[in-house]
Amino acid sequence: AEEAAEKEPCVLLGQQLGDPGRFAYAALCGISLAQLFPEKEQSSFRTEFIEGFVKWLDLPEAVLPAMTAFASGLGSEGTETFAQILLKDPILNENPVVITQDLLSFSLRDGYYDARARVLICHVTWLLRIPLEDLEVLEESLLESLKEQKEEESETAEVSRKKKEKRKKLKQYLLISLAAVGGGTMIGLTGGLAAPLVAAGAATIIGSAGAAALGSTAGIAVMASLFGAAGAGLTGYKMKKRVGAIEEFEFLPLTEGKQLHITIAITGWLCTGKYGSFTAPWSSMLRSSEQYCLAWESKYLMELGNALDSLLNSFVNMMAQEALKFTVLSGIVTALTWPASLLTVASVIDNPWGVCLHRSAEVGKHLAHILLSRQQGKRPVTLIGFSLGARVIYFCLQEMAREKDSQGIIEDVVLLGAPVEGEAKYWKAITKVVSGRIINGYCRGDWLLRFVYRTSSIQINVAGLQPVDLDDRRMVNMDLSSVVS
């Protein structure tokens, strides 16, 4: 079997499609690129992607002008037609997820998983009615140990076992494709397994020639590229000394897994009790198997959180009078003049709020340079934060937009109750650096946010209180008024 594998070169799965299927496949990707990234500054990415993809599929050079035209914005009306042609190819009859796998293999060929490529993969996967879960499974299969561990058949273990069985089936397709890339020098992505062990296990699937490639210097270099220097990633970063006004900046792991895309969560304030730690608000987050939490300026965030708690208690005491439940509460979110009883405690919160506003902006700028330096490796990053944590993200994106080579790093961002400008002109710049979605979660009745912003909210819009009216496919406004009390 090994001799046969050496004599018969592997053929990439995408190249096994018929001529109509390969043409439709490339056209679908070209049209999708134009729809997802129509901006002028994205033209080089679209062109380079489609040129490389035509070669990947072994299509004739004569089709390149047509594919370039698709990637430039022509032919969008043919999306459904190309999707149907592709799905009719015999290769996809039983396993359409082959397309997702093939796009993933192509996107990882240089050891750089561009966030724009991942958004494209998700989009094409959706167009072909393939569950997005399959992409997660394929990504995880790259990082899963080849050594199977026995588990007891509890309900949870059974779900895990079925998922592993699915990964095992997909892994065979993936390894065969990756072994054929670049003339037999490609990827050994194993989430920490030593390359010789990987090569030994892979030999049973792809033959000794392909297995040798997985253990090659090129394969190790690709893995190092994806996961950052020495595989330490973000937890390996330590702020050695004070940076400007920033006294504390550290990444804490929320999970122990490894993944081809990561999530960074940013807490907005701390307070004595349940939310006394940075990790507490994110205990139920299910976004990826590799998650981090940014610990920043805990002394000031704790002071702010306790001040907010004190203010809230003052408000609750004020509301103890039955009549005020129907007068003050109903009008407090829109009142231009605030009750004197609240204003008397304003000094408790104004100073820590002002300090944290300034420091959150500085932390955001520092985070931008950490991500630009690829401390996380060359993988897509999703950012999520609430309150001042959302403000950190906002200033991170603004800073990244000012720098070169800032595209393809950020996949999605989620900002909840963000105390930042809500006018669209301030948000336009960050679309340059976000490949996927910019989700603005707002609550019109957030009286606390309106109160701390009371001196300026009349003059400017606040994103955490209203939608951002930005005409861009990335911008998603979510009204959380019904779920936020």
Side-chain angles (χ1 to χ4, degrees):
E2 291 182 359
E3 290 178 2
E6 291 179 3
K7 292 179 181 179
E8 297 181 13
C10 292
V11 179
L12 295 171
L13 295 176
Q15 294 179 7
Q16 295 178 26
L17 298 168
D19 289 343
R22 283 184 295 149
F23 186 93
Y25 182 15
L28 195 62
C29 288
I31 292 172
S32 297
L33 282 169
Q35 292 174 338
L36 295 169
F37 310 107
E39 298 83 9
K40 184 178 180 180
E41 57 266 24
Q42 299 284 3
S43 60
S44 60
F45 171 74
R46 297 195 306 267
T47 301
E48 291 174 9
F49 189 99
I50 206 66
E51 288 178 352
F53 200 56
V54 166
K55 293 179 181 179
W56 174 268
L57 294 179
D58 198 25
L59 283 166
E61 288 188 11
V63 309
L64 186 56
M67 296 307 161
T68 302
F70 287 140
S72 299
L74 299 177
S76 59
E77 65 278 0
T79 300
E80 188 61 30
T81 300
F82 286 129
Q84 291 305 316
I85 292 173
L86 183 55
L87 287 170
K88 289 178 181 177
D89 192 284
I91 295 294
L92 304 187
N93 283 344
E94 295 182 1
N95 192 25
V97 78
V98 162
I99 291 299
T100 301
Q101 172 269 310
D102 188 68
L103 267 177
L104 179 60
S105 301
F106 173 73
S107 299
L108 293 172
R109 71 195 188 285
D110 296 325
Y112 176 17
Y113 198 6
D114 194 294
R116 293 166 291 185
R118 191 170 195 273
V119 170
L120 173 66
I121 295 172
C122 290
H123 183 72
V124 172
T125 297
W126 174 77
L127 288 175
L128 298 177
R129 313 297 191 267
I130 300 170
L132 287 178
E133 180 193 17
D134 286 354
L135 171 59
E136 296 279 350
V137 171
L138 280 165
E139 290 177 329
E140 289 177 16
S141 72
L142 282 170
L143 307 172
E144 188 184 56
S145 168
L146 295 177
K147 183 180 179 180
E148 299 293 336
Q149 295 181 350
K150 295 182 179 180
E151 296 177 322
E152 295 182 4
E153 282 291 327
S154 63
E155 183 179 352
T156 303
E158 184 177 2
V159 172
S160 176
R161 177 181 58 78
K162 290 180 179 179
K163 196 171 184 179
K164 283 186 177 182
E165 288 175 353
K166 191 173 185 180
R167 289 195 198 110
K168 190 174 181 180
K169 294 177 182 177
L170 295 175
K171 188 187 298 181
Q172 182 169 353
Y173 291 102
L174 197 61
L175 288 173
I176 291 173
S177 183
L178 293 178
V181 180
T185 55
M186 189 46 196
I187 297 179
L189 303 177
T190 63
L193 286 181
L197 176 60
V198 180
T204 60
I205 299 177
I206 61 178
S208 58
L214 289 178
S216 68
T217 303
I220 296 172
V222 167
M223 185 165 66
S225 175
L226 280 167
F227 289 93
L234 293 177
T235 53
Y237 173 80
K238 301 290 184 183
M239 194 176 71
K240 297 179 181 179
K241 60 182 180 179
R242 181 169 176 155
V243 178
I246 305 172
E247 299 175 13
E248 181 183 4
F249 189 104
E250 182 181 358
F251 294 99
L252 307 175
L254 291 173
T255 58
E256 296 181 357
K258 285 286 186 181
Q259 183 62 294
L260 286 177
H261 60 100
I262 69 173
T263 299
I264 301 175
I266 307 178
T267 300
W269 42 263
L270 302 171
C271 66
T272 305
K274 182 179 179 182
Y275 295 108
S277 71
F278 285 101
T279 60
W282 312 109
S283 58
S284 300
M285 186 169 63
L286 299 174
R287 180 62 180 85
S288 70
S289 60
E290 186 172 354
Q291 303 171 352
Y292 301 90
C293 181
L294 177 62
W296 62 286
E297 307 297 76
S298 57
K299 179 175 68 175
Y300 302 99
L301 292 180
M302 181 66 75
E303 184 180 353
L304 173 63
N306 289 333
L308 289 172
D309 194 44
S310 176
L311 180 66
L312 182 60
N313 288 334
S314 298
F315 178 72
V316 170
N317 291 334
M318 183 183 70
M319 292 305 300
Q321 301 177 49
E322 188 70 20
L324 290 180
K325 289 183 180 179
F326 301 96
T327 56
V328 178
L329 182 60
S330 62
I332 198 169
V333 295
T334 57
L336 297 181
T337 57
W338 294 87
S341 52
L342 277 181
L343 294 176
T344 56
V345 297
S347 59
V348 175
I349 195 173
D350 284 348
N351 185 60
W353 175 254
V355 170
C356 289
L357 277 180
H358 172 69
R359 289 180 180 258
S360 61
E362 294 303 310
V363 168
K365 294 174 184 177
H366 187 60
L367 175 61
H369 292 287
I370 295 300
L371 297 177
L372 287 168
S373 67
R374 303 289 186 174
Q375 294 288 331
Q376 74 283 2
K378 295 182 178 179
R379 297 176 289 167
V381 178
T382 288
L383 300 172
I384 178 172
F386 69 87
S387 187
L388 288 167
R391 184 177 171 88
V392 168
I393 294 171
Y394 177 81
F395 278 92
C396 170
L397 300 176
Q398 292 283 2
E399 182 71 10
M400 290 181 72
R402 298 186 186 99
E403 301 292 332
K404 295 180 179 179
D405 301 322
S406 59
Q407 299 170 337
I409 297 174
I410 305 298
E411 183 175 357
D412 296 317
V413 295
V414 182
L415 301 95
L416 306 173
V420 298
E421 301 93 340
E423 292 186 34
K425 63 181 181 180
Y426 297 109
W427 288 66
K428 183 61 179 176
I430 68 178
T431 61
K432 172 185 173 183
V433 296
V434 178
S435 303
R437 295 172 298 171
I438 303 169
I439 300 175
N440 175 44
Y442 66 94
C443 175
R444 297 182 186 276
D446 189 343
W447 69 268
L448 190 56
L449 176 57
R450 190 179 296 275
F451 181 72
V452 295
Y453 245 133
R454 67 193 179 283
T455 58
S456 57
S457 60
I458 299 174
Q459 289 78 28
I460 65 171
N461 298 321
V462 182
L465 297 172
Q466 61 192 47
V468 176
D469 188 18
L470 179 62
D471 184 17
D472 189 284
R473 63 98 185 157
R474 299 170 181 81
M475 194 73 226
V476 179
N477 289 290
M478 298 191 67
D479 188 351
L480 303 177
S481 300
S482 62
V483 295
V484 177
S485 57

